[in-house]
Amino acid sequence: MWVIIDHKFVKTIRDLPVQCLKKYSVFKTKVEFLGLDSIRSKPGLQLEMLKGNLQGLYSIRLNRSYRVVFSVNHHDRIVTILEISKHRYGK
């Protein structure tokens, strides 16, 4: 079983739009019980390995505006949420 550390974002999660909250719940449940590979095949979450100054981190999209950035410790099966925020698209 995997562990998701998201306690720093309880208020942020609670204040998400309903659609985003549902997607976050799906993400959390799938990862906890089935592991990170279970969301690779879920196209709605759009799992990405990040580049640039966020290299080594991952993200999923909750909708067009919101994304979750997280780190993964595969050995200990721990996912640590680092950011849940509105995504700023660059040009």
Side-chain angles (χ1 to χ4, degrees):
M1 187 164 169
W2 286 68
V3 175
I4 296 184
I5 300 173
D6 64 358
H7 60 272
K8 292 181 182 179
F9 296 95
V10 171
K11 183 180 180 331
T12 303
I13 293 165
R14 186 184 66 226
D15 293 341
L16 285 171
V18 174
Q19 175 193 13
C20 294
L21 187 57
K22 287 179 183 178
K23 268 193 162 177
Y24 183 77
S25 179
V26 167
F27 160 74
K28 188 171 178 176
T29 301
K30 281 190 161 286
V31 171
E32 284 177 334
F33 293 101
L34 302 173
L36 191 61
D37 288 336
S38 68
I39 64 168
R40 290 186 198 279
S41 62
K42 182 113 176 99
L45 292 173
Q46 298 173 331
L47 176 67
E48 302 178 291
M49 188 178 277
L50 299 177
K51 300 175 185 173
N53 61 345
L54 297 177
Q55 187 173 1
L57 302 178
Y58 295 83
S59 76
I60 59 161
R61 293 184 200 168
L62 299 178
N63 69 8
R64 186 167 166 78
S65 298
Y66 285 90
R67 80 173 182 174
V68 178
V69 176
F70 56 95
S71 64
V72 177
N73 178 328
H74 291 278
H75 181 265
D76 294 329
R77 295 182 171 204
I78 297 174
V79 171
T80 304
I81 305 301
L82 303 173
E83 179 182 343
I84 300 175
S85 63
K86 286 195 171 189
H87 182 57
R88 295 167 299 284
Y89 291 96
K91 290 189 175 191

